[in-house]
Amino acid sequence: MASNMYSVRQRISRLGQRMSSFQINLNPLKEPLGFIKVLEWFASIFTFATCGGFKGKTEILVNCPPQVSANETVTASFGYPFRLNQASFQAASDAHLCNVTWGEHVLIGDYSSSAQFYVTFAVLVFLYCIGALVLYVGYTNRYRDSRKLPMVDFVFTLIFTFLWLVSTSAWAKALTDIKITTGHSIVQELLPCKDPKVHCYFGSVTSMGSLNVSVIFGFLNMILWGGNAWFVYKETSLHSPSNTSTAHGQGGVAPPTGM
C-alpha cells in the first residue's frame, strides 16, 4: 500500500514538473493567436513612443511702434504630458518686450489626464503582450491544457479592446483641443495682444504629425485586440465545452450503444 502511494506521488510530481517546465515552441507565433500578439506588441510601442516623446513650440510675432517697429518672436514651448497652462512665453530679444512681462503669460488648457492615461495604458499593454508571448511560446502545452489561462486571456483581451477605444477617443479629442489652443486662436486669447498698442501675429507651431500617428496607432490597436478576441475565444472552454469535458472525463464509463 505504501509503495503504491509513493509511486503515485512520483508520477504526480513528474507530471507537475513537465507542466511547469519552460520549453520554447515557436509554432504559436505562426498561428493568428501568437502572430497578432506580436503585432499588438509592436503597435503599443509606436503608440506610447509617438505620444510620450513629443516636444514642440508655438511662435507669435509682436511689434509695438514706435518702440519696436520690427516683428519680434515670442515663443512658448510645450510637450508631453501637455500641461499647457504651465508653458510660459519667452521673448527672444527682450523679456519685457513692448513693456510686457511675457514670462507671466501661459498657454491655455491642461490635457495631461488624457495624455498620461493613453501613454500609461499603452505601456501596460506592452508589458502584458510580453507576458502573453512568454506564455504562448514557453508554456504552450500548459496554456492549452488549462481551462483558466485562456479564459483569463480572453477577459483581458475584451477589457483592453474597450480601453483602447476609450483612451484613444479621449486622446483624439485632447489633441484637437491642443491644436486649437496652440494655433491661430492664441492671438485672440493672449492678454497682451488685446492691448491696441501691441500688434500680435501668429507665427508658426511645430508639426503634430507624430501625434496624429499616435491616434492612428490607438485605433489600430483597438482593431487588433478586437480581432484577436476571436482567436483567444477559440482557446477557451466556451468555444468547445464538449471537447473540454470529454478530455477531463476520459477513463469514465462508456456511454451505452444504440439499440
Side-chain angles (χ1 to χ4, degrees):
M1 183 68 179
S3 61
N4 290 337
M5 291 294 296
Y6 179 74
S7 62
V8 170
R9 290 177 181 175
Q10 280 188 324
R11 291 176 184 176
I12 295 175
S13 177
R14 287 195 296 267
L15 178 61
Q17 290 176 357
R18 287 197 297 268
M19 291 181 63
S20 61
S21 60
F22 178 83
Q23 186 176 3
I24 295 179
N25 180 11
L26 298 181
N27 288 330
L29 298 182
K30 302 176 184 178
E31 301 173 2
L33 179 68
F35 179 72
I36 296 178
K37 189 66 66 180
V38 174
L39 295 180
E40 293 170 348
W41 181 65
F42 277 110
S44 65
I45 295 175
F46 283 103
T47 300
F48 65 74
T50 51
C51 179
F54 180 83
K55 290 184 179 180
K57 63 180 180 179
T58 182
E59 296 179 348
I60 61 174
L61 304 176
V62 179
N63 67 67
C64 48
Q67 183 180 354
V68 179
S69 56
N71 289 332
E72 297 290 342
T73 303
V74 179
T75 305
S77 299
F78 61 95
Y80 179 82
F82 302 100
R83 293 188 177 94
L84 301 186
N85 55 2
Q86 297 181 7
S88 60
F89 285 87
Q90 301 293 331
S93 59
D94 184 5
H96 298 280
L97 180 67
C98 295
N99 297 322
V100 176
T101 305
W102 291 98
E104 296 178 353
H105 300 277
V106 296
L107 294 171
I108 300 174
D110 183 358
Y111 307 97
S112 59
S113 58
S114 298
Q116 288 179 319
F117 174 64
Y118 187 65
V119 171
T120 302
F121 175 62
V123 172
L124 290 177
V125 170
F126 166 78
L127 296 176
Y128 180 82
C129 288
I130 293 178
L133 287 172
V134 170
L135 184 63
Y136 294 167
V137 174
Y139 301 93
T140 307
N141 293 332
R142 185 174 183 180
Y143 176 81
R144 287 181 169 165
D145 293 341
S146 173
R147 295 171 63 104
K148 293 183 179 180
L149 290 178
M151 184 61 67
V152 171
D153 194 17
F154 178 62
V155 171
F156 272 103
T157 300
L158 294 180
I159 293 174
F160 285 171
T161 302
F162 174 73
L163 289 180
W164 272 122
L165 173 62
V166 173
S167 62
T168 305
S169 300
W171 168 234
K173 175 60 170 62
L175 178 57
T176 301
D177 294 339
I178 291 172
K179 291 179 179 180
I180 295 174
T181 302
T182 59
H184 291 79
S185 64
I186 191 174
V187 176
Q188 287 77 29
E189 298 294 338
L190 201 57
L191 184 60
C193 296
K194 296 180 179 180
D195 188 340
K197 297 180 181 179
V198 180
H199 303 156
C200 299
Y201 309 93
F202 177 75
S204 63
V205 64
T206 303
S207 173
M208 300 185 188
S210 64
L211 298 182
N212 294 332
V213 171
S214 71
V215 173
I216 294 174
F217 270 105
F219 286 112
L220 175 62
N221 272 292
M222 182 193 68
I223 295 173
L224 286 174
W225 282 85
N228 197 32
W230 165 248
F231 298 103
V232 179
Y233 170 76
K234 289 173 65 177
E235 299 293 332
T236 66
S237 59
L238 298 176
H239 180 254
S240 54
S242 59
N243 295 338
T244 304
S245 60
T246 301
H248 286 276
Q250 289 179 351
V253 179
T257 58
M259 296 295 292

